[in-house]
Amino acid sequence: MLTLLELLKDGRFHSGEALGAALGVSRSAVWKQLQHLEAELNLPIHKVRGRGYQLASPLAFLNAEEIAANSGSTVWPVYISDSVDSTNAEALRLVDAGSAAPFLVLAEQQTAGRGRRGRKWVSPYAQNLYYSLVLRIEGGLRQLEGLSLVVGLAVMQALREAGVQRAALKWPNDVLVEDKKIAGILLELVGDPADICHVVLGIGINVNMQKAADVDQQWTSVQLETGSSVDRNHLVARLGLHLQGYLDRHKSLGFSALQEEWEQNHLWQGRAVSLIAGVNQIDGVVLGIDRQGALRLSVDGVEKTYSGGELSLRLRDDS
């Protein structure tokens, strides 16, 4: 089936006869494979009598050599899968199997992609970035302070470089364009955070996605914002360069050195918000973040700080 997809990826019409000859199968077998492609990968295929079959839009696959060619000195070992449950889960399996960090896991599709708080991350085939970078952390908790916010800065800069100039941050780990989500970050840790551990920097970016029926919030993509399709291999390489730069600064100077830059790019700075923690809701005004990346809110005129993986921030209706 993937061989057939390779033949169709140029977005041009191909006759059933030509496809059958290339695959060494009958035209009816080609038809069955096309049906599987549509059903399993949700790829629309145009079928026109007398012209043949055509993907609704061309596909360009992830390629380790192309990524390396654009990555400068930031070349991590990369594992590329056609389909995985999630790149974070695959990354953790590779850690368990003894793979040496740092390394990068990418996939064309996720069958069980996930975001924060157990939410589903919609992951159509060969359209977006499903990206997990594994780091080995030595020396204790200081290197984990504000880490998801540091990753957010790198993602934001990569998106701006790709033409999404209005990309901005939302605490703790979303990248938005106005009120629409374009990227999300999910960090997962294994090992002893006070000694030696591995952390997976999971990043999902809506790149060339133009339609998605299953997304339960407002969203956008790089292509929708810029009006043109994006080379995902180039975006992977540029994201890696931005990540390396921010991670180096964070490691040597700590998160406090990036605190002001993050606040300057926080979309909801000074806005009235509700912080949701389980069944509890805290209303306040965003003051910023502290030196560890915790959220600073003015609650009834008193400054309070909040951090934790199960917190959700929403704009208040009166904001």
Side-chain angles (χ1 to χ4, degrees):
M1 191 168 67
L2 295 177
T3 305
L4 175 58
L5 191 57
E6 187 72 28
L7 295 170
L8 292 169
K9 71 177 184 180
D10 59 11
R12 299 174 181 175
F13 276 105
H14 298 264
S15 71
E17 183 177 0
L19 292 171
L23 295 171
V25 300
S26 66
R27 291 177 64 179
S28 63
V30 168
W31 173 255
K32 289 180 181 178
Q33 287 194 36
L34 288 166
Q35 289 180 307
H36 282 302
L37 277 180
E38 285 192 294
E40 294 183 19
L41 302 183
N42 196 28
L43 289 173
I45 298 174
H46 299 315
K47 309 171 187 69
V48 178
R49 186 179 296 275
R51 300 191 69 186
Y53 308 101
Q54 176 196 47
L55 285 176
S57 58
L59 292 178
F61 298 116
L62 295 168
N63 182 282
E65 292 181 358
E66 290 186 35
I67 293 168
N70 290 284
S71 294
S73 60
T74 306
V75 181
W76 295 305
V78 58
Y79 299 85
I80 299 176
S81 297
D82 186 65
S83 181
V84 294
D85 47 358
S86 82
T87 54
N88 269 26
E90 179 68 7
L92 290 170
R93 286 191 290 267
L94 288 167
V95 169
D96 286 343
S99 296
F103 62 85
L104 177 61
V105 176
L106 303 170
E108 298 288 3
Q109 180 187 45
Q110 296 182 124
T111 59
R114 60 188 192 273
R116 287 181 65 245
R117 304 168 69 224
R119 299 181 76 170
K120 177 182 178 182
W121 188 269
V122 175
S123 309
Y125 187 84
Q127 293 184 36
N128 298 330
L129 276 193
Y130 318 119
Y131 179 115
S132 295
L133 175 65
V134 179
L135 303 176
R136 177 184 166 95
I137 302 292
E138 299 182 26
L141 294 170
R142 181 175 177 272
Q143 291 188 58
L144 298 173
E145 287 180 352
L147 187 56
S148 67
L149 281 69
V150 175
V151 176
L153 281 167
V155 174
M156 180 194 71
Q157 296 295 0
L159 287 170
R160 289 181 178 177
E161 189 177 70
V164 187
Q165 296 301 325
R166 296 181 299 162
L169 302 168
K170 175 202 162 189
W171 189 90
N173 50 14
D174 288 341
V175 183
L176 306 181
V177 179
E178 295 182 345
D179 57 350
K180 298 177 181 178
K181 187 168 180 174
I182 193 170
I185 297 154
L186 177 65
L187 268 58
E188 296 187 271
L189 185 145
V190 60
D192 183 356
D195 185 17
I196 298 174
C197 65
H198 288 84
V199 61
V200 181
L201 312 181
I203 300 169
I205 302 178
N206 298 331
V207 182
N208 293 320
M209 185 166 70
Q210 298 183 70
K211 295 179 181 179
D214 299 331
V215 181
D216 60 358
Q217 60 188 304
Q218 288 189 298
W219 64 274
T220 188
S221 68
V222 181
Q223 182 167 352
L224 288 175
E225 293 299 318
T226 63
S228 58
S229 62
V230 177
D231 183 333
R232 292 180 301 143
N233 290 306
H234 186 262
L235 183 57
V236 168
R238 298 306 301 173
L239 175 57
L241 289 168
H242 286 291
L243 271 171
Q244 187 67 72
Y246 277 106
L247 290 170
D248 285 348
R249 288 175 63 191
H250 180 249
K251 183 176 181 179
S252 60
L253 302 173
F255 179 73
S256 60
L258 297 166
Q259 177 184 356
E260 182 178 354
E261 181 182 355
W262 196 95
E263 288 183 331
Q264 289 173 348
N265 290 284
H266 190 205
L267 194 62
W268 292 359
Q269 197 77 4
R271 303 289 294 275
V273 298
S274 294
L275 186 66
I276 312 300
V279 297
N280 299 313
Q281 176 174 316
I282 301 159
D283 293 335
V285 175
V286 176
L287 298 175
I289 53 174
D290 69 9
R291 294 167 67 88
Q292 288 77 44
L295 182 70
R296 297 166 49 235
L297 288 184
S298 174
V299 180
D300 297 327
V302 178
E303 180 175 326
K304 298 185 178 182
T305 59
Y306 301 91
S307 63
E310 297 306 312
L311 299 177
S312 176
L313 194 64
R314 302 174 187 172
L315 281 179
R316 289 219 311 265
D317 293 339
D318 57 347
S319 177

